[in-house]
Amino acid sequence: MWKRKGRKGRRTARPVPMELCDLCAKVFPEDESVTGYVPDSSAVHATNEWFDGLRLITTCSDDHFDLIKAGYADRPFVDEELWAAKLTRALTTGPPALSMDQLGCRTGLQEPQIRAAILWHNERMREAQQRTDP
């Protein structure tokens, strides 16, 4: 017969929180990460509007962070894109917003901004459909 050795007194290994580099996909310990925000009009935070228009990037080194940051510096910041993302968040979370006033309250946008966001969004949708049509 065999006897199982007890685990009494043994410490269980705790998992080390890991991160993934946004540039090279290297996996590394969280405490070695380089993180920061870059301006990006396509980024909206799921719950905190203070972070709308900012994209959190995580990298394994300062050099990789600088490369990603430089890439975002070349990308134009389009207000209508940000507004459209805010509208999408408002329309897909919480109770339905049916009026312009309700959308304004839920997004913090004025009616002209809401209309500009809708126009911008609809134009992108038309462009995407034209690319996929035979």
Side-chain angles (χ1 to χ4, degrees):
M1 291 195 48
W2 57 276
K3 185 174 180 181
R4 185 181 300 246
K5 292 185 178 183
R7 291 187 176 261
K8 195 172 189 175
R10 288 189 193 174
R11 285 189 178 180
T12 58
R14 287 198 167 161
V16 175
M18 301 299 280
E19 287 288 352
L20 179 70
C21 181
D22 291 342
L23 184 66
C24 69
K26 174 183 174 184
V27 177
F28 56 94
E30 180 181 53
D31 63 348
E32 295 175 16
S33 67
V34 179
T35 60
Y37 289 93
V38 293
D40 180 6
S41 56
S42 70
V44 292
H45 194 274
T47 58
N48 191 340
E49 66 186 39
W50 285 95
F51 294 104
D52 290 351
L54 298 172
R55 180 165 307 279
L56 178 64
I57 56 175
T58 302
T59 62
C60 61
S61 68
D62 289 329
D63 291 338
H64 283 192
F65 185 88
D66 291 341
L67 283 169
I68 292 176
K69 185 178 175 184
Y72 278 95
D74 293 338
R75 186 180 189 276
F77 192 93
V78 180
D79 288 330
E80 293 82 359
E81 181 179 30
L82 177 60
W83 301 337
K86 287 176 173 263
L87 285 174
T88 299
R89 179 180 58 209
L91 293 170
T92 57
T93 60
L98 304 174
S99 71
M100 196 66 73
D101 288 339
Q102 289 172 324
L103 281 173
C105 286
R106 300 235 341 246
T107 62
L109 300 174
Q110 302 295 319
E111 183 175 342
Q113 294 169 316
I114 293 170
R115 291 188 183 284
I118 292 168
L119 288 171
W120 184 90
H121 173 77
N122 289 345
E123 183 60 32
R124 299 294 90 60
M125 296 304 290
R126 277 191 287 279
E127 289 172 0
Q129 187 173 6
Q130 288 173 354
R131 285 192 301 267
T132 60
D133 284 345

